[in-house]
Amino acid sequence: MSLSVAVAGASGYAGGEVLRILASHPEFTVTTVTAHANAGQPLASVQPHLRSLAHLTLVDTTAENLAGHDVVFLALPHGKSGEITEQLGGGALVIDCGADHRLTDARDWAAFYGGEYHGAWAYGLPELVHAGGGAQRELLAGATRIAVPGCNVTAITLGLAPAIRAGLAFAQDIVAVLAVGPSGAGKTLKTEYLASEILGSASAYAVGGTHRHVPEIRQNLAVAGGGDVSVSFTPMLVPMSRGILATSTAPLAPGATLVSVRDAYEDAYGDEPFVHLLPQGQFPRVADTIGANTALIGVAIDEAAGRLVTITAIDNLVKGTAGAAIQSANIALGLPETLGLSVNGVAP
Amino acid sequence: MSLSVAVAGASGYAGGEVLRILASHPEFTVTTVTAHANAGQPLASVQPHLRSLAHLTLVDTTAENLAGHDVVFLALPHGKSGEITEQLGGGALVIDCGADHRLTDARDWAAFYGGEYHGAWAYGLPELVHAGGGAQRELLAGATRIAVPGCNVTAITLGLAPAIRAGLAFAQDIVAVLAVGPSGAGKTLKTEYLASEILGSASAYAVGGTHRHVPEIRQNLAVAGGGDVSVSFTPMLVPMSRGILATSTAPLAPGATLVSVRDAYEDAYGDEPFVHLLPQGQFPRVADTIGANTALIGVAIDEAAGRLVTITAIDNLVKGTAGAAIQSANIALGLPETLGLSVNGVAP
Amino acid sequence: MSLSVAVAGASGYAGGEVLRILASHPEFTVTTVTAHANAGQPLASVQPHLRSLAHLTLVDTTAENLAGHDVVFLALPHGKSGEITEQLGGGALVIDCGADHRLTDARDWAAFYGGEYHGAWAYGLPELVHAGGGAQRELLAGATRIAVPGCNVTAITLGLAPAIRAGLAFAQDIVAVLAVGPSGAGKTLKTEYLASEILGSASAYAVGGTHRHVPEIRQNLAVAGGGDVSVSFTPMLVPMSRGILATSTAPLAPGATLVSVRDAYEDAYGDEPFVHLLPQGQFPRVADTIGANTALIGVAIDEAAGRLVTITAIDNLVKGTAGAAIQSANIALGLPETLGLSVNGVAP
Amino acid sequence: MSLSVAVAGASGYAGGEVLRILASHPEFTVTTVTAHANAGQPLASVQPHLRSLAHLTLVDTTAENLAGHDVVFLALPHGKSGEITEQLGGGALVIDCGADHRLTDARDWAAFYGGEYHGAWAYGLPELVHAGGGAQRELLAGATRIAVPGCNVTAITLGLAPAIRAGLAFAQDIVAVLAVGPSGAGKTLKTEYLASEILGSASAYAVGGTHRHVPEIRQNLAVAGGGDVSVSFTPMLVPMSRGILATSTAPLAPGATLVSVRDAYEDAYGDEPFVHLLPQGQFPRVADTIGANTALIGVAIDEAAGRLVTITAIDNLVKGTAGAAIQSANIALGLPETLGLSVNGVAP
């Protein structure tokens, strides 16, 4: 079997990473790559690292060009995927790496994004534990429309959901602060993303609860059993091209211990191929996840502060975007979940 | 007037930065530089950036070599300054950049450092607001023994103290997460501080409330009126040589608004030469503080999360260490507080 | 078929990269990993990014532990592999990533390394063009002992050999200057390799012709037809963990044109899976080769200066070390040359 | 005395650095800052690190706004300063940080820049040694129009001129390769200058002799006695915001030794406040020059290759631009040459 694949938004960082993983996936063959401003150019001119796909040429991002494939990956600015998917026929599996189909509540969409609301799709975070037992994976089998989570959301959700499901930490008054690399912002040409601005520096953005990932975090932790979630989320931009290191803290429930917390994470992730709890006293490095579909998690109890503190490392472009997309596609299509995905990071 | 100065620990990063600032200070003349393993070498061999001090040679860190100066700066590992200051006579102003004389409670020392407790000195954070009004500066005038704060402590304290003093935020359940550069760890030869390990990566350490700066943060925020402070503090090591970006959050008091919070910070820092509240909606970058004795602060209210979120940027080696030392020395000696200190960062 | 593999020096960067590639190689199974100081520890404690090999435990680097495998990869300090291979029996394919078996002239060994000379093995740079036609690949088929080239050597050799073989540039008065990342120095604990020293900086080393890679460059370019080669080689250490960007220049032969030069490189590399000449006017970025066994080359003619200027990018740990090792092993064993090796870089 | 100063192009990196140095210069008072797109904004909004100049507001870059000052610094794109200086009256000292007035030969201007040629001004590299003895400094005293050298040019010129003047190396077949930071490109919004593109990577540009600094290098080395100079110059962009590390090589003249070469550099720079020859066997780091007006030089003889190899480190924004501008202004105005300029770098 080889499935034909189209990738929309193939000139950006997310689209490029989808292509990098697809290039070595044994069951997918990329036949169409689309872009907006770069349409007409060889793919190699904007993605010179994708040597094995150098024969491809970018075409316009239109429903016509995306039609007729077995699988379509969308890596488009928010608002754009919603538009174009309405024009796509029903035959293909469509995976949206953007935000348009993540939120289940139209009011959240209106409050944080605005514009037309396109409705929620099956949510592509297979390891998200559900309050009632089981995990999100079950909802992805056979799905034909999948929304890939936001990268920061994935790091925070994976880092806290097991403790919340187990009743060992509360989802009220969560505080999460992340060190993130600039590739999450894509190729946006703004002064603040210039190398001269970011090298040797760090800065925070969307401070005070305005980041668009906030409702999605709340949504996930509610799925895990968090009730009426509240979260203070602050991303700090730091000088590494890829990666997220999330420090996620939540108030400890009475009686929670390091043993019971570790048990809850082992219970949630012990059989997961891509989400790993580190041994006691160990905390992850971003470098260990680069290029890999891996999330690494370390947990600690701060007794004096009354908080659970978890550290989660992911590659924002892989487990945070493209890897999650392909993992979800594997599940939806009944392929082995790990097919074409690496668990080993490129370090140092 | 020119005061003779000795710097102990002159081969390290903190000692080097003390020297860099002293080199252009109009009232101080560095006559003695001491080290341990590097004693006997020219200063230029270990601090090749200090061109104007290239005539100096490192001598052993002994009480004899430090005696007979008007001012002595200590940049030694903890435990060492306590030892040596007991042997120093009373005539000189002694400024300790290390931890030995920061903590006022011997139990905190025992719990977080251990070994002999040497007692607290005047605490060198001039801008720390006191619950009863006034600021720490007043306790530094005429002091002869001064303890320079920990770098992370400075960032968090400056970022939260005004709101706590004003009763606009609570000091219980503070959560502070910092992006920090590796120079804070000095020249320690460990694999984890190698460039290959830190480039392209980020990692957390002292997770779960074990960092030695925790009791000092509590101590300061109690001085600001915080009562029985609790703080969850997590530093994340990121690939910038210098700098700290602190995201400090605290539960909002009922009725606190952005206007009242900004008023509290203006009240605390409006006349400060080195601590600046940024305009509404703006948040600082580490780069803007590099080489400068400046702390830049941005504040936000997260209504949904019920938290005050402040972002503070400092250069860990300047306002976080050497600049604070010299600012405090200026105050103690009755010199203009800003003498020899730059407010402008070296950016980009 | 699955061949059993031992990796010596598995705790270092080179050994780790050999393991990372082997982990996804369909014909090799790593059964033994050895180290010196870290023997007895789980591999995961020193190579936490190698999740799929986390079941392995490091054992001592001894001939006994390395015996009985189909393939042995050595990633040891120079001098060490020479010692241990004398004790290994004849059955296995042995690939040495170190320097011990690269140089064909004992006088070069004595001048640049010293200590016992262990003799040259088949040289693992398959794409090295030979003066008389053909390439180095032919000498690797069926080999049982292979020496992997030095990383800087690979970049310079690939960048200049075709022009020299074609008589379009002279190998006398070559000047090559490289930007290199610190991972080439391994985990050596020296102050100069600390992140604080390397972030925001650049420095040269082995200036003036003392670098150990010099005789190996001369040796290769002589093989390509360069006669009595002379080369000025300077590496500059820059703040990227991996990668080499080589600017290699050579005096132009009379009549050489950009067309004739490009023809020579197309002739040499047109069919190579891992060495790619970029289109006219394009020059490579290191990022495009990270994690890949790819060398990217751009060429230019500087008429006014009378020099050929070529830019070569490689990942020092892959095409510069571990990838070359596995590519050579594939050839030696009669496997497809590209098996288990990626041509696509991990960018950005 | 306090001289009134206007800075044109104050929103860019070069203009910002001129302002940073002027802010602590005892004889200059910045009264006017001009910009193009940012006119009307507070200076603090585009240069948030310049806290002591936060009271200034950017006005349009027009001859009217620049008139009436004692000193005018221009940090404008090439072509722009030539235009505007024709409209400025004769009273002020004008220092151009751009390229418009550097080249003495109109044919070089036509070949490398194009557009109207505005003629050469006094060249602001005080330490450039002249073939006939003396240095460029002498031509700057009393000058009213000064052109600041290109940053790469400064590094290469300082690194080779003494050997060429002394006849110890030839200026024919010079090869210079530089590691440079992206701040040299200013705030240009191009994908290639995004942090995601530059972090973890390195790339070359203007390969093959097309860089605009080439004729200026030739011009300087001819002044030093180089005759008909030829130079192969390649800049490599690396992930540090500031700084240049230049590896400059030239063919050795017969009989040249390390002793005679070191003598020539001592002779040229022994009394220079800002250009320092390092001790034998030592080579500079970029970090040691950051924020300082210092050029550090190490020299080596490569006997086997027949080349002199020199390594020069500067901060491209200071000794490479703004520091050179202010040093030259000091000389022109009869002030102490070192006034307001630091010799000590901000390291680590």
Side-chain angles (χ1 to χ4, degrees), chain A:
Chain A
M1 165 171 106
S2 183
L3 299 164
S4 70
V5 178
V7 177
S11 58
Y13 292 144
E17 192 69 0
V18 169
L19 289 169
R20 186 182 71 82
I21 299 173
L22 291 174
S24 59
H25 193 291
E27 299 292 349
F28 293 141
T29 303
V30 180
T31 54
T32 299
V33 287
T34 84
H36 179 59
N38 295 296
Q41 292 189 36
L43 179 64
S45 70
V46 289
Q47 307 282 19
H49 61 297
L50 299 176
R51 308 302 304 170
S52 73
L53 303 175
H55 56 284
L56 295 170
T57 297
L58 293 159
V59 297
D60 249 321
T61 302
T62 63
E64 291 70 36
N65 284 331
L66 297 176
H69 298 84
D70 297 313
V71 189
V72 178
F73 291 92
L74 304 173
L76 300 170
H78 82 262
K80 293 292 172 195
S81 30
E83 264 176 53
I84 210 156
T85 51
E86 302 203 338
Q87 308 170 45
L88 289 178
L93 167 62
V94 182
I95 313 275
D96 185 6
C97 296
D100 292 28
H101 304 285
R102 293 174 188 160
L103 296 179
T104 55
D105 188 327
R107 289 166 300 182
D108 282 338
W109 180 264
F112 282 83
Y113 292 88
E116 193 182 351
Y117 175 60
H118 295 278
W121 288 357
Y123 189 72
L125 184 52
E127 302 90 349
L128 170 56
V129 290
H130 285 227
Q136 182 67 14
R137 174 179 290 106
E138 300 157 24
L139 305 183
L140 294 169
T144 59
R145 294 287 184 273
I146 294 173
V148 177
C151 53
N152 302 303
V153 178
T154 293
I156 298 169
T157 300
L158 292 175
L160 289 178
I164 287 168
R165 181 176 67 166
L168 297 168
F170 298 119
Q172 288 69 47
D173 204 18
I174 286 170
V175 178
V177 182
L178 280 62
V180 303
S183 62
K187 295 187 178 175
T188 314
L189 290 180
K190 291 188 182 172
T191 303
E192 65 210 74
Y193 298 126
L194 290 178
S196 298
E197 303 285 315
I198 284 176
L199 284 159
S201 194
S203 59
Y205 62 96
V207 182
T210 63
H211 197 287
R212 283 169 166 155
H213 285 175
V214 167
E216 192 183 342
I217 299 166
R218 289 198 303 239
Q219 177 176 303
N220 288 353
L221 296 181
V223 166
D228 189 17
V229 181
S230 87
V231 56
S232 164
F233 160 48
T234 309
M236 303 195 289
L237 192 59
V238 303
M240 57 188 185
S241 60
R242 296 178 172 225
I244 292 176
L245 191 78
T247 296
S248 305
T249 79
L252 283 169
T257 63
L258 186 54
V259 169
S260 60
V261 166
R262 289 191 63 84
D263 282 351
Y265 282 77
E266 284 294 356
D267 186 44
Y269 301 141
D271 295 330
E272 288 295 346
F274 294 120
V275 182
H276 300 174
L277 178 67
L278 296 187
Q280 189 168 328
Q282 293 185 21
F283 299 93
R285 305 180 307 170
V286 161
D288 295 326
T289 69
I290 295 302
N293 197 44
T294 307
L296 299 178
I297 302 177
V299 300
I301 297 285
D302 186 335
E303 291 285 358
R307 286 204 164 243
L308 169 70
V309 184
T310 74
I311 309 292
T312 306
I314 61 168
D315 182 330
N316 60 310
L317 293 178
V318 189
K319 185 58 184 165
T321 306
I326 288 154
Q327 182 184 357
S328 295
N330 286 342
I331 296 170
L333 296 164
L335 298 169
E337 185 171 334
T338 60
L339 208 64
L341 292 162
S342 175
V343 71
N344 296 324
V346 179

Side-chain angles (χ1 to χ4, degrees), chain C residues 4-26:
Chain C
S4 70
V5 177
V7 176
S11 59
Y13 292 144
E17 193 68 1
V18 169
L19 289 170
R20 186 182 71 82
I21 300 174
L22 291 175
S24 59
H25 193 290

